[in-house]
Amino acid sequence: MNITVFLFLFQFAFIHQENLIIEGYCSKVSVSTGDSLTLFVNAGEKRDNYDLKLFDLQGKQVATYKANVFSQEPQHEKPWENGFGYKPSLKIKVPNLKSGVYQWEDRIPLIIKMAKPNIVVVYNSNRENAYCNGGGKSLYSFNSSEFKPAKKVSFLRPMRLPKHAELFLRWFETQPFKDVGYIADVDLDNYNAWGNAELLIITGHSEYWTLQARKNFDRFVNEGKNVIVLSGNTMWWQARYNKEKTQMICYKSKDDDPIVNKKLKTINWNEPKLNYPITKSIGVEFPNAGYGRKTDKGWDGFKILTHSPLLEGTALKIGDVLPLPSDETDGVPVLGFTHDGHPMANIKALGFDKMEIVGYDKVFRLEKEGYATWVVFKRSKTSGIIINTATTDWCSSQGISNQDVKTITLNMIRKLMAKQNVFSAVETVHAKKE
């Protein structure tokens, strides 16, 4: 056999091996070391004793298991709601790996948790489930069969890494912070799993929240712990899970939702009927801002308004723009405008002790101009601090690929963990109590 033929056959075999696994899913979105886990995969062909590989987000292979794989198709009726029903490919005890986001065959996500994290990063699994149309439907009409959205969507179907957070997750894994634990949205319901941490980081497009998750979030802050929200369109929909937590439910209509308890109706969190304003938790909300890079009238980024210590290590100064094209953004309730035309936050309406707008952008929603506002605030003198960047793209390629965004993100974390000041040295005029 000549060398050309040998190399061709070697390359073919390598590509064939790499592309054998088409997609799949895990029996649980997140697990702890020692938990039982079942993996379900769909392969391009039948293969016995195939090496199923687990990778970290740097592409390093961290575990390998022998399994018999084969081609599969969804078995359940309404697979978007009831799950795909694949036959098991592998059953294991979760290996002793550090907490993080992993991928089977570099395409099937798995979150491994930590028992006692100091910094907690939330993987926005609810949003990915909501938009996934695996099996034919999502919670949205635009990518659902017959343009009729589902009301319930299963976690037991193939999904990929969240597009608004993938780059951040890959980057943050390389940073030298200790005791970092990763959890999925569903874990926010269990305060015992993460409530003793010092810092909570919300990533990407964290759109779907349960009532218990919100209560736990507020409890964490009220206990004096700090939060960084690197997300936009945050806490927009109330959702809930089935008993097994394999399914997310969101009717998006109080009349369609059959649940009796009105506080659990799966509608927008800013609906008065729920009596739980989004701004009371995170200071900003989507209706006060809107969509970014479509036809906004701003700068596709944040115009800097303060000498914030969060800007240390960058050349940014007041009046400069931090480039950050965004899909969706959140904003504070605006009291008025400075003589320069910059928005001022209505602290009195929010009932907060202190708030500062670091930067803002002019955006739009429903043909109405809004203001995306990156804020730092304390609800009360004894509460923790919340830094909210108010954009879906801080963690995406639009944001975290920018060196200034990386520097600012590290400043946020380091300063909060060290209990250093994160407000500008002088009283800002961009947030007023009256």
Side-chain angles (χ1 to χ4, degrees):
M1 181 185 295
N2 66 43
I3 188 66
T4 302
V5 173
F6 173 79
L7 289 174
F8 171 78
L9 291 176
F10 177 81
Q11 183 182 39
F12 175 80
F14 178 78
I15 292 173
H16 192 57
Q17 167 82 359
E18 290 300 299
N19 293 339
L20 183 65
I21 303 304
I22 300 171
E23 34 83 340
Y25 57 91
C26 298
S27 56
K28 301 173 184 176
V29 178
S30 63
V31 291
S32 298
T33 296
D35 284 353
S36 297
L37 177 70
T38 302
L39 179 64
F40 307 85
V41 301
N42 175 23
E45 65 180 38
K46 187 177 186 301
R47 185 80 62 85
D48 293 339
N49 293 318
Y50 179 80
D51 287 336
L52 276 174
K53 300 172 287 294
L54 184 64
F55 295 88
D56 65 17
L57 292 187
Q58 304 311 306
K60 178 184 177 182
Q61 186 175 326
V62 297
T64 306
Y65 297 88
K66 294 290 185 181
N68 298 332
V69 299
F70 42 88
S71 179
Q72 304 206 58
E73 294 183 356
Q75 299 299 308
H76 289 159
E77 183 182 358
K78 295 183 179 180
W80 61 85
E81 179 177 325
N82 299 314
F84 271 34
Y86 281 170
K87 292 180 180 179
S89 305
L90 179 69
K91 294 183 179 182
I92 62 167
K93 293 290 185 182
V94 177
N96 186 20
L97 295 169
K98 72 174 185 178
S99 182
V101 180
Y102 295 85
Q103 292 196 100
W104 291 100
E105 295 295 302
D106 237 2
R107 64 189 60 201
I108 305 169
L110 174 68
I111 295 90
I112 297 182
K113 298 178 285 188
M114 175 186 287
K116 296 180 179 180
N118 203 25
I119 297 174
V120 175
V121 179
V122 183
Y123 178 96
N124 46 300
S125 49
N126 282 357
R127 190 271 180 193
E128 294 313 301
N129 194 8
Y131 284 82
C132 173
N133 68 341
K137 290 185 183 294
S138 73
L139 292 182
Y140 295 84
S141 59
F142 78 93
N143 65 348
S144 291
S145 58
E146 301 173 331
F147 299 103
K148 294 181 180 179
K151 308 299 182 184
K152 304 175 183 178
V153 285
S154 175
F155 289 104
L156 302 179
R157 54 192 184 138
M159 299 177 204
R160 292 297 182 93
L161 294 174
K163 73 171 187 176
H164 288 102
E166 178 179 352
L167 195 62
F168 171 86
L169 294 169
R170 292 186 186 277
W171 168 75
F172 192 65
E173 184 181 75
T174 67
Q175 300 308 301
F177 295 105
K178 295 182 179 180
D179 299 323
V180 177
Y182 291 76
I183 63 174
D185 283 326
V186 68
D187 299 308
L188 286 170
D189 279 23
N190 180 13
Y191 196 71
N192 292 332
W194 58 274
N196 289 325
E198 293 185 37
L199 177 66
L200 182 69
I201 302 176
I202 306 297
T203 64
H205 187 177
S206 189
E207 187 176 358
Y208 291 82
W209 285 65
T210 66
L211 175 61
Q212 190 59 54
R214 285 202 61 188
K215 287 181 176 179
N216 288 343
F217 178 95
D218 289 341
R219 174 183 172 184
F220 186 79
V221 176
N222 290 337
E223 288 178 353
K225 314 293 185 58
N226 299 322
V227 174
I228 300 175
V229 181
L230 305 178
S231 167
N233 192 217
T234 307
M235 292 182 183
W236 185 229
W237 291 104
Q238 172 161 213
R240 60 180 186 269
Y241 308 115
N242 63 346
K243 184 178 179 181
E244 297 76 20
K245 295 193 173 181
T246 58
Q247 186 184 74
M248 186 173 74
I249 302 164
C250 189
Y251 283 83
K252 300 189 175 183
S253 165
K254 64 180 178 60
D255 295 326
D256 291 343
D257 193 339
I259 198 164
V260 175
N261 187 344
K262 294 181 179 180
K263 298 297 182 184
L264 294 176
K265 292 285 187 179
T266 51
I267 55 179
N268 289 139
W269 272 115
N270 68 341
E271 289 283 346
K273 293 181 182 298
L274 295 181
N275 194 30
Y276 205 164
I278 300 167
T279 52
K280 295 295 184 182
S281 291
I282 59 172
V284 296
E285 67 175 359
F286 184 53
N288 291 333
Y291 302 100
R293 54 184 161 189
K294 295 182 180 179
T295 58
D296 67 278
K297 299 179 180 179
W299 312 276
D300 277 337
F302 288 107
K303 179 174 284 188
I304 304 302
L305 296 183
T306 69
H307 296 290
S308 173
L310 300 178
L311 304 178
E312 289 176 6
T314 76
L316 292 167
K317 58 185 182 300
I318 291 177
D320 289 346
V321 173
L322 173 66
L324 217 164
S326 299
D327 286 337
E328 296 178 77
T329 60
D330 298 330
V332 294
V334 173
L335 175 67
F337 300 87
T338 67
H339 68 280
D340 296 323
H342 304 319
M344 296 184 293
N346 192 338
I347 297 183
K348 184 176 182 181
L350 291 167
F352 293 161
D353 176 65
K354 187 176 185 180
M355 172 176 270
E356 179 171 277
I357 299 177
V358 180
Y360 80 103
D361 193 8
K362 291 183 180 180
V363 294
F364 84 104
R365 179 174 180 264
L366 302 177
E367 300 183 356
K368 178 182 176 182
E369 190 173 79
Y371 297 89
T373 49
W374 164 18
V375 295
V376 182
F377 67 94
K378 280 176 68 73
R379 295 180 187 163
S380 69
K381 295 187 182 301
T382 59
S383 73
I385 294 169
I386 296 178
I387 302 174
N388 194 331
T389 62
T391 166
T392 53
D393 288 271
W394 190 277
C395 295
S396 79
S397 59
Q398 301 297 327
I400 204 66
S401 59
N402 181 322
Q403 184 55 51
D404 282 345
V405 173
K406 290 177 181 176
T407 298
I408 293 166
T409 302
L410 294 176
N411 286 342
M412 293 177 188
I413 297 170
R414 288 169 179 159
K415 288 180 179 296
L416 288 178
M417 292 300 292
K419 302 188 185 307
Q420 296 176 0
N421 175 53
V422 290
F423 292 89
S424 60
V426 295
E427 184 69 22
T428 176
V429 297
H430 302 115
K432 293 289 188 181
K433 292 188 177 182
E434 57 183 12

